Amino acid sequence: MRKNYFIFFLFSFLTLTAFSQITETELDIRLYPNPAINSFNIEYKNVTILKVEVYSIIGIKELELIDNYRAINISALSRGIYMVKIYTDKGHLVKKLVKN
């Protein structure tokens, strides 16, 4: 069973990152604080954020936000590593977030 989760995670992670239309250096987007405890913020310049999705390390979508990208509440999530997929008017990218 563990092998199936690893394969699913690997596929999910590669899917999230392989289809990114832009690179991290093309945008000025930062997650803070990282590691986070109960919430995190997205700092961005010169882009419009359209949607934010938070995925667990095994590829399960935990949150989806279409507005209010400041002080994103993650208190209901377990401790661990998450992937934050940020959709902008210039494409999308994935950032890692650690929750303590």
Side-chain angles (χ1 to χ4, degrees):
M1 195 68 154
R2 182 172 279 195
K3 185 177 180 181
N4 289 342
Y5 278 120
F6 178 73
I7 290 170
F8 179 74
F9 162 72
L10 185 60
F11 175 76
S12 298
F13 181 75
L14 291 175
T15 301
L16 286 174
T17 57
F19 295 107
S20 292
Q21 298 174 7
I22 51 179
T23 63
E24 194 170 327
T25 57
E26 292 179 49
L27 293 179
D28 190 10
I29 295 180
R30 183 173 79 92
L31 304 181
Y32 71 93
N34 195 3
I37 296 174
N38 291 319
S39 66
F40 72 94
N41 297 291
I42 301 175
E43 181 179 280
Y44 54 96
K45 297 178 186 171
N46 302 322
V47 295
T48 301
I49 294 183
L50 306 173
K51 179 171 67 168
V52 174
E53 298 172 339
V54 178
Y55 289 86
S56 70
I57 197 71
I58 61 170
I60 297 170
K61 188 190 300 185
E62 301 287 347
L63 292 173
E64 182 172 343
L65 306 158
I66 54 171
D67 60 1
N68 193 16
Y69 308 114
R70 308 273 187 209
I72 297 169
N73 185 354
I74 56 169
S75 61
L77 301 180
S78 301
R79 293 174 53 159
I81 299 172
Y82 294 87
M83 305 308 287
V84 180
K85 189 172 185 180
I86 303 167
Y87 295 85
T88 74
D89 58 339
K90 296 180 181 177
H92 60 272
L93 74 152
V94 178
K95 309 269 288 174
K96 183 174 90 170
L97 176 71
V98 177
K99 183 185 189 271
N100 282 338

